Amino acid sequence: MAVEDDDKSFMMKAADLEADLLEDMEAPREGFLTDEQREVLKTATTEVLSSSPKSPSWFMSQHPIKAPNVGVPVKHVRRSHSGKLGKVKKDGGGGKGTWGKLLDTDADTYIDRNDPNYDSGEEPYELVGSAVADPLDDSTQIKQGFFMLLESADDLEVDILDAVEILALFVARAVVDDILPPSFVTRARKSLSESSKGFQVLQTAEKSYLSAPHHAELVERRWGGSTHITVEEVKKRISDLLREYVESGDTSEACRCIRQLGVAFFHHEVVKRALVLAMENRAAEPLILKLLKEASEEGLISSSQMNKGFTRLHDSLDDLVLDIPSAKSLFESLVQLAVTDSWLDSSFVNSQGDGNAAEAEDENLRRYKKEIVTIIHEYFLSDDIPELIRSLEDLGLPEYNPIFLKKLITLAMDRKNREKEMASVLLSALHIEIFSTKNIVDGFTLLLESAEDTALDILDASNELALFLARAVIDDVLAPLNLEEIGNRLAPNCSGSETIHVAQSLVNARHAGERLLRCWGGGSGWAVEDAKDKIVKLLEEYESGGVVGEACECIRDLGMPFFNHEVVKKALVMAMEKKNDRMLDLLQECYSEGLITTNQMTKGFGRVKDGLDDLALDIPDADDKFKVYYEHAVVRGWLVAGWLARHTAFEEDWCRRQDQTFLQVDHQCNQKQHLHSQSLHLQCNCTPNKRIILKPL
């Protein structure tokens, strides 16, 4: 009975409170509560919402109560200013800053989205189920974000010293994780200034990370994160899961295993090995195609990884044919099926079709580069120029001569001064034998265009390239005008243009010839006249009964291989004077050891040929002896057959052009004398205040 009395008193109290509140809401100050009413409402609300067993559940269901937000002022009920009579909007049960109906907590709320006071914050739970788009789903926004980072790299470096290196790693990681396409690096570079830090970021990302072997694994582990397995272990796991899949045919299980590998950047290996397995086992082809299609549709293998896997297999078809004779035809059929099922981009077929014409040329270039690296390394070990020239001629690709020059100097710059000197000497020999001036100009242009990339690996690359250019001018490989020609091909403010200016300054300096001949530390530091005196003395000592080996050692000790043509000239002249052919034995030994190159031998014979008229004054039969020595040199291989005829034809052509020049000068002089004689017969009529008039008689 006591409990029932308490319930009845509680119900009567709540009903009286509700009646009072409704009566106050109809008062002129509608929408406001007095302080006393607030206290009563707060007390009643606390009692109703409490867990007291005295509160009947049926009362709570019939009279839901909504507690006000304490401390939040209640706004006036917005009324219409039209003057018309009407009820309060939503019966006072909604709108921004309102509580809803009195004692209304669990019932439906009155929310009108067209209400000027509508606040979306009132319905947060209704937005949870709605689809919210990821703002980074659009790859264009990601590219723009990275590009903005690159543009602000100069400012970032002020606060972060290694900002370039860190940004480069971020870009490389984004490419590896397929967040950015590989083409982003090339396209962004075109939009940035070459002097900006952003451009340097892209260069570092491409050269230091993306171009390195196994770059994906290296980039993934750069910050400590890794799969803790090697590349070979991943390849083995891929092979194992593909074999198990062929046996079981469970595609979902195979996809789960691929996902568990955790090497999204290496999924192109899955594609390649799966395709090879389909070629080897034709019965497994449907299963393999089903797996690749499902992996592509699920987004497990991205389109870039799929294309890369097909590309890798296409590049290795020549080797694969040895084991699978029909590999090429099978590959084409697999490509067609993949494109038809839309899990391989059709651009792959177009790129392969467009590249068929250039593929053979690229293959020749790759093979040529590989061959010349071996040839250059052998030359640095043996110092055998004739053998190198024969090797280049055997390759039969003279159109790639500029690439050989670029590779030669690049490899020499990464070595010691000995190899740099050998490279300069080799350029002189190649210019005489098989390289044209255009080949050398084009080769140096390629070098200077990539000077900034070379500087990443060789710190002093710019100065060393300037020395190579200046040395080429001193050795008559290039003319000074060729430096201007190369400079005109380069951008005005690039590193290559600065190198050209340095080379021109070196060439125009005092005693440039002697200094540049010893720029790599070659030579003994003697002047040219001292070197000539040393050569004469060693030849006289050999002629008086010296040993061939000792004479060769003395020539080698001179340390001036670029000046060995003086040895050839002095030896031939001494042989004519002494009438002793022993000097020819010395030249034969020097040529056999590679001590005197064909280039130096040709220069020496050419200098003797040019001075035969003066030699004939002291040696009457000098012309006949020279022809004998020339035939001996051709038989022994010192000189190229037909050299004398070409040299004589050149001299005759030069003399003929000189004679024509002299005839033109004489003709012009005769015309001047004739005009002068006519001017003597001119009569001068002079009149006051008039101009002088010349009239012929």
Side-chain angles (χ1 to χ4, degrees):
M1 294 295 293
V3 174
E4 293 179 357
D5 292 338
D6 291 339
D7 291 341
K8 290 180 180 180
S9 61
F10 178 80
M11 292 169 56
M12 292 175 63
K13 184 178 180 180
D16 293 338
L17 175 62
E18 182 178 4
D20 292 340
L21 292 178
L22 292 174
E23 182 178 356
D24 289 337
M25 289 178 64
E26 295 176 356
R29 297 186 62 183
E30 186 175 349
F32 284 85
L33 298 177
T34 65
D35 295 338
E36 181 181 359
Q37 290 172 339
R38 285 196 181 94
E39 290 295 330
V40 174
L41 180 62
K42 180 178 179 182
T43 304
T45 304
T46 305
E47 293 177 355
V48 171
L49 296 178
S50 64
S51 59
S52 174
K54 297 180 180 181
S55 302
S57 59
W58 59 269
F59 177 81
M60 295 293 294
S61 61
Q62 293 180 1
H63 299 278
I65 299 176
K66 180 177 180 180
N69 293 328
V70 179
V72 179
V74 182
K75 294 184 179 180
H76 287 284
V77 177
R78 189 174 297 273
R79 296 180 178 277
S80 173
H81 297 280
S82 63
K84 297 180 180 180
L85 296 176
K87 293 183 179 181
V88 180
K89 281 188 177 181
K90 298 181 291 299
D91 197 15
K96 185 175 182 180
T98 62
W99 294 346
K101 280 189 173 182
L102 184 65
L103 303 178
D104 186 6
T105 56
D106 298 331
D108 295 337
T109 57
Y110 299 92
I111 297 179
D112 185 4
R113 296 184 181 180
N114 296 322
D115 190 338
N117 294 325
Y118 167 72
D119 184 7
S120 61
E122 296 179 3
E123 49 178 354
Y125 297 104
E126 295 183 4
L127 298 176
V128 173
S130 61
V132 180
D134 187 354
L136 294 181
D137 281 346
D138 188 2
S139 61
T140 304
Q141 295 183 7
I142 298 178
K143 296 176 186 177
Q144 291 176 352
F146 271 97
F147 189 75
M148 292 172 64
L149 266 177
L150 295 174
E151 288 181 328
S152 60
D154 296 283
D155 298 333
L156 290 174
E157 194 180 33
V158 176
D159 301 324
I160 306 172
L161 297 180
D162 55 346
V164 172
E165 181 69 21
I166 295 175
L167 286 178
L169 189 54
F170 267 112
V171 172
R173 180 63 181 267
V175 173
V176 168
D177 291 341
D178 288 330
I179 298 174
L180 289 175
S183 60
F184 171 81
V185 178
T186 304
R187 294 178 180 175
R189 188 189 293 116
K190 295 179 181 178
S191 303
L192 296 172
S193 173
E194 295 183 359
S195 59
S196 65
K197 294 299 181 183
F199 190 87
Q200 187 176 349
V201 168
L202 295 176
Q203 279 190 324
T204 306
E206 185 174 15
K207 300 295 182 182
S208 302
Y209 297 113
L210 298 179
S211 299
H214 307 298
H215 64 274
E217 184 179 2
L218 296 176
V219 171
E220 288 280 349
R221 296 185 179 184
R222 182 67 184 219
W223 284 320
S226 68
T227 57
H228 301 289
I229 56 176
T230 63
V231 175
E232 296 301 326
E233 291 175 350
V234 174
K235 290 181 178 180
K236 183 177 183 300
R237 292 187 183 183
I238 292 173
S239 299
D240 293 341
L241 74 86
L242 288 176
R243 282 197 298 269
E244 291 178 3
Y245 167 69
V246 171
E247 294 175 359
S248 64
D250 190 347
T251 307
S252 59
E253 178 66 18
C255 291
R256 187 186 65 80
C257 294
I258 295 174
R259 188 177 293 105
Q260 283 185 347
L261 289 175
V263 286
F265 57 87
F266 204 55
H267 282 169
H268 55 82
E269 182 71 18
V270 178
V271 178
K272 179 186 175 183
R273 290 183 178 268
L275 294 175
V276 172
L277 182 59
M279 291 181 182
E280 293 175 344
N281 185 3
R282 297 303 306 280
E285 180 178 328
L287 288 174
I288 294 296
L289 295 178
K290 180 182 178 182
L291 172 63
L292 294 178
K293 181 179 179 180
E294 186 166 339
S296 176
E297 291 176 349
E298 291 182 3
L300 178 59
I301 299 179
S302 64
S303 60
S304 61
Q305 293 290 316
M306 192 71 72
N307 286 344
K308 190 172 183 180
F310 272 87
T311 302
R312 289 184 58 202
L313 182 58
H314 177 268
D315 295 339
S316 61
L317 281 178
D318 293 334
D319 298 332
L320 196 60
V321 167
L322 300 177
D323 299 324
I324 308 174
S326 59
K328 292 185 177 181
S329 60
L330 291 175
F331 177 77
E332 292 177 358
S333 64
L334 290 174
V335 169
Q336 294 298 329
L337 290 173
V339 172
T340 303
D341 291 342
S342 301
W343 50 273
L344 177 63
D345 193 354
S346 59
S347 61
F348 174 81
V349 180
N350 298 331
S351 63
Q352 296 300 323
D354 296 337
N356 286 336
E359 184 177 356
E361 183 177 357
D362 293 341
E363 181 63 27
N364 290 337
L365 182 58
R366 285 194 294 269
R367 187 175 67 254
Y368 179 82
K369 288 181 178 180
K370 184 178 179 181
E371 291 289 341
I372 63 175
V373 169
T374 304
I375 292 172
I376 293 171
H377 285 163
E378 290 179 356
Y379 167 68
F380 285 154
L381 293 174
S382 65
D383 195 12
D384 191 348
I385 293 180
E387 178 62 27
L388 182 142
I389 293 175
R390 283 192 293 270
S391 298
L392 287 180
E393 291 176 345
D394 292 340
L395 290 178
L397 295 170
E399 63 272 16
Y400 292 149
N401 286 345
I403 297 176
F404 177 86
L405 186 146
K406 177 184 176 182
K407 182 63 69 174
L408 170 67
I409 295 181
T410 302
L411 292 176
M413 285 193 298
D414 201 24
R415 289 171 172 257
K416 297 183 179 179
N417 287 340
R418 173 182 175 273
E419 284 76 13
K420 297 171 187 175
E421 176 66 26
M422 293 174 66
S424 293
V425 173
L426 178 59
L427 284 184
S428 299
L430 293 175
H431 183 244
I432 294 295
E433 299 294 336
I434 56 177
F435 277 26
S436 64
T437 303
K438 183 179 182 302
N439 293 149
I440 296 176
V441 169
D442 293 342
F444 274 108
T445 303
L446 291 175
L447 267 172
L448 294 174
E449 287 176 345
S450 60
E452 295 180 354
D453 297 336
T454 307
L456 298 176
D457 301 323
I458 304 172
L459 298 180
D460 201 25
S462 179
N463 292 332
E464 292 187 355
L465 283 176
L467 288 174
F468 271 109
L469 282 166
R471 175 65 180 271
V473 174
I474 296 300
D475 289 341
D476 293 330
V477 176
L478 291 176
L481 290 177
N482 293 136
L483 295 182
E484 298 181 4
E485 179 184 354
I486 296 173
N488 293 333
R489 297 183 180 183
L490 304 174
N493 298 323
C494 67
S495 176
S497 298
E498 297 177 0
T499 303
I500 290 290
H501 295 323
V502 174
Q504 291 173 335
S505 301
L506 292 174
V507 171
N508 296 328
R510 294 184 60 188
H511 306 295
E514 186 175 351
R515 291 178 178 178
L516 291 172
L517 288 176
R518 298 196 303 270
C519 63
W520 308 124
S524 57
W526 305 324
V528 175
E529 295 301 326
D530 294 337
K532 290 182 178 180
D533 185 58
K534 288 281 186 181
I535 291 171
V536 171
K537 288 182 179 179
L538 74 87
L539 290 177
E540 288 178 349
E541 182 179 352
Y542 169 73
E543 195 273 336
S544 62
V547 181
V548 175
E550 184 177 351
C552 291
E553 188 65 27
C554 292
I555 295 173
R556 188 177 291 104
D557 290 341
L558 287 175
M560 302 177 71
F562 50 86
F563 201 56
N564 283 344
H565 56 81
E566 182 70 17
V567 177
V568 178
K569 177 190 172 184
K570 296 291 186 184
L572 293 177
V573 172
M574 192 174 292
M576 293 179 185
E577 291 176 345
K578 305 293 184 178
K579 297 182 179 180
N580 186 355
D581 294 342
R582 194 162 184 260
M583 289 295 174
L584 300 180
D585 298 335
L586 175 62
L587 294 179
Q588 175 62 39
E589 184 66 21
C590 292
Y591 180 79
S592 300
E593 293 183 5
L595 184 59
I596 299 180
T597 64
T598 303
N599 177 35
Q600 296 293 318
M601 198 74 75
T602 303
K603 281 187 177 181
F605 271 85
R607 291 179 61 193
V608 174
K609 176 67 172 64
D610 296 338
L612 282 179
D613 294 337
D614 296 333
L615 284 174
L617 300 177
D618 300 325
I619 309 172
D621 59 344
D623 195 3
D624 296 335
K625 285 187 173 294
F626 177 78
K627 292 180 180 178
V628 173
Y629 295 157
Y630 166 71
E631 293 175 357
H632 180 84
V634 172
V635 172
R636 298 300 179 92
W638 306 348
L639 300 176
V640 180
W643 169 82
L644 182 59
R646 291 195 298 271
H647 187 80
T648 305
F650 174 79
E651 286 185 337
E652 293 176 352
D653 181 63
W654 183 83
C655 294
R656 183 168 58 255
R657 284 188 277 108
Q658 293 294 324
D659 292 340
Q660 291 177 355
T661 304
F662 292 145
L663 289 175
Q664 291 176 359
V665 172
D666 292 340
H667 181 65
Q668 292 175 359
C669 292
N670 292 334
Q671 286 182 341
K672 290 181 180 181
Q673 291 178 359
H674 180 66
L675 293 174
H676 180 68
S677 62
Q678 285 185 346
S679 65
L680 295 176
H681 298 286
L682 296 177
Q683 181 177 6
C684 180
N685 296 330
C686 299
T687 57
N689 301 325
K690 290 186 178 181
R691 296 166 61 186
I692 298 176
I693 301 175
L694 298 179
K695 294 182 179 181
L697 295 174

